[in-house]
Amino acid sequence: MEFKIESFAGTGSAARAGIITTDHGQIETPIFMPVGTLGSVKGVHTRELRHDIGAQIILGNTYHLYLRPGTEILRKAGGLHKFNGWDRPILTDSGGFQVFSLSSNRKLTEEGAHFRSHIDGSRHLFTPENVVDIERIIGADIMMALDECPPGTSDYKYARKSLDLTRRWLDRGWKRYNDTEGLYGYRQAYFPIVQGCTYPELRREAARHVASLGADGNAIGGLAVGEPAEVMYEMIEVVNDILPSDRPRYLMGVGTPINILEGIDRGVDMFDCVMPTRNGRNGMLFTPEGTMNLRNLKWADDFSPIWADSDCWVDQVYSRAYLRHLFISQELLAMQIASIHNLHFYLWLVREARRHIFAGDFKSWKEEMVQKLGRRL
């Protein structure tokens, strides 16, 4: 994997625009990555991801894919790219966050994370080594290290203990990665994850260790898990002061359109979040002028396009009134239209950020957009 920075935003911002090159194609940064937990982005066809949304890379989830369809099926298929028909880059998380969310059904030990399946209650173990093996079978272009994601409200004692465990797991996973090769004839990158909760000294310690490995890229985890937004932004700045500037930086699981712009401003290159599809399925639409709740009565006779200036066909063909009607009627098409719209908007937003980085006016544009994006229409 290669990363080339093409432009910097200039004075007052750490934003940059670049290109990540993988064996499955290039990714223009900053980038938003649609989440395809089970190998599919909910309610969205591969064709729509490519042509209507403009996705350059999608995510798969190691925990869920390990349980269903399972590694045997994925290996027989030739990896996730062959299994789901997506021929562009894929990133897989390590499953650490999903195990973290199963707090009542998991136990963390030095060996790894013991957990029960949410499907049938069966017992399983994720270790730093077997997670690398699973991600090799899935065949993602970018694989994430196994870590523990502590709650944003963790006290220092727990955060310290958690970070020490994550570091030991990382060293084991990094060794396994370097001792193995991909199964399908192309190279896979491995991103370590910086943890440390909301404690600057722990974040700095973790960032220095992660930077010392010289990985193809690095990630920032454990944010947007309960801490205030301003604390999240502070932690990003602390970490990015240390992570190497010539490698892509991935802020995991974040977030709102405002979060993304603030992350870009602080030097983050890659983002993912379930918000555009999950909120879309519940009737919330993101637009350049703010958010809309399509279930509200005010849209019942609004026959204007969903987003008049959009170049995505669903925004032009369907009116706000019609989409509201579909939601109120509980038609499945409503969720599909909203998901396509929201994902297209998120990709539009990062493309616009990239354009303004090249133009040299990113900072002023970002500040104007943040004001608009915070509105409820």
Side-chain angles (χ1 to χ4, degrees):
M1 196 189 83
E2 297 178 357
F3 179 55
K4 178 184 178 181
I5 297 176
E6 299 181 297
S7 182
F8 291 95
T11 305
S13 175
R16 69 262 191 91
I19 292 183
I20 300 170
T21 301
T22 75
D23 287 350
H24 279 101
Q26 292 188 328
I27 306 159
E28 295 181 343
T29 64
I31 190 66
F32 178 81
M33 304 178 285
V35 177
T37 301
L38 285 159
S40 73
V41 179
K42 289 191 189 314
V44 181
H45 292 289
T46 299
R47 181 186 67 247
E48 293 160 340
L49 284 170
R50 282 200 191 97
H51 302 298
D52 302 324
I53 292 166
Q56 299 176 49
I57 175 174
I58 63 172
L59 267 69
N61 182 272
T62 296
Y63 166 84
H64 287 283
L65 291 168
Y66 162 77
L67 293 176
R68 285 188 303 204
T71 53
E72 183 179 353
I73 295 295
L74 288 167
R75 187 192 285 271
K76 286 181 179 179
L80 185 57
H81 290 90
K82 296 285 183 64
F83 191 57
N84 71 357
W86 177 257
D87 59 2
R88 295 179 182 180
I90 294 175
L91 181 150
T92 44
D93 64 17
S94 66
F97 181 80
Q98 282 66 39
V99 172
F100 153 74
S101 67
L102 296 169
S103 56
S104 61
N105 288 313
R106 53 91 167 160
K107 179 182 179 181
L108 304 182
T109 68
E110 192 65 35
E111 184 182 14
H114 300 258
F115 63 94
R116 287 183 178 271
S117 165
H118 71 286
I119 300 169
D120 59 10
S122 57
R123 294 177 181 270
H124 302 271
L125 170 65
F126 273 179
T127 70
E129 294 85 1
N130 73 15
V131 163
V132 170
D133 297 342
I134 294 166
E135 292 186 277
R136 289 292 196 195
I137 293 170
I138 295 171
D141 299 87
I142 300 173
M143 311 187 299
M144 304 307 301
L146 180 66
D147 63 338
E148 184 196 358
C149 180
T153 55
S154 298
D155 61 26
Y156 183 87
K157 182 179 180 181
Y158 185 87
R160 169 83 266 173
K161 180 180 178 182
S162 172
L163 180 58
D164 289 343
L165 181 63
T166 287
R167 175 172 177 161
R168 293 192 296 270
W169 282 359
L170 172 58
D171 290 343
R172 288 165 51 192
W174 180 243
K175 182 179 187 304
R176 183 60 153 243
Y177 167 73
N178 285 296
D179 288 346
T180 57
E181 296 182 356
L183 303 177
Y184 309 116
Y186 55 86
R187 187 174 182 277
Q188 296 174 276
Y190 184 80
F191 281 22
I193 303 171
V194 176
Q195 289 288 353
C197 203
T198 58
Y199 300 100
E201 63 270 35
L202 296 183
R203 287 283 176 179
R204 291 189 186 97
E205 177 185 325
R208 284 192 290 267
H209 178 61
V210 162
S212 72
L213 298 178
D216 289 313
N218 302 295
I220 307 170
L223 294 176
V225 287
E227 79 285 354
E230 290 307 317
V231 173
M232 174 174 67
Y233 301 148
E234 178 190 355
M235 293 303 102
I236 294 170
E237 292 174 7
V238 165
V239 170
N240 280 350
D241 278 344
I242 296 171
L243 290 181
S245 61
D246 63 345
R247 308 295 166 92
R249 301 163 177 157
Y250 165 31
L251 180 60
M252 303 181 72
V254 178
T256 68
I258 292 175
N259 293 158
I260 288 173
L261 291 185
E262 296 291 359
I264 293 171
D265 193 23
R266 290 162 172 81
V268 175
D269 306 293
M270 304 166 68
F271 303 85
D272 80 285
C273 189
V274 297
M275 187 172 287
T277 46
R278 179 176 291 171
N279 288 28
R281 293 195 300 273
N282 289 292
M284 176 181 281
L285 269 63
F286 298 97
T287 81
E289 303 300 322
T291 57
M292 298 188 295
N293 183 346
L294 263 292
R295 294 182 180 276
N296 288 348
L297 183 62
K298 66 181 294 184
W299 309 114
D301 59 355
D302 185 339
F303 302 107
S304 60
I306 295 170
W307 176 12
D309 296 328
S310 170
D311 59 0
C312 182
W313 69 273
V314 298
D315 293 326
Q316 298 297 324
V317 168
Y318 301 114
S319 70
R320 299 171 182 185
Y322 177 66
L323 185 52
R324 179 184 183 274
H325 157 69
L326 294 180
F327 271 113
I328 297 302
S329 304
Q330 300 183 23
E331 284 288 337
L332 295 178
L333 182 59
M335 294 185 283
Q336 184 177 23
I337 293 170
S339 295
I340 293 171
H341 162 86
N342 279 348
L343 287 172
H344 176 266
F345 168 75
Y346 267 62
L347 268 296
W348 172 88
L349 186 67
V350 293
R351 285 195 299 267
E352 282 294 289
R354 179 180 168 87
R355 184 171 70 84
H356 285 280
I357 291 169
F358 277 106
D361 63 349
F362 170 81
K363 191 72 172 184
S364 58
W365 171 81
K366 184 218 84 171
E367 291 173 355
E368 180 183 347
M369 284 300 300
V370 165
Q371 294 299 315
K372 293 180 179 178
L373 294 170
R375 300 172 184 162
R376 290 294 183 108
L377 303 179

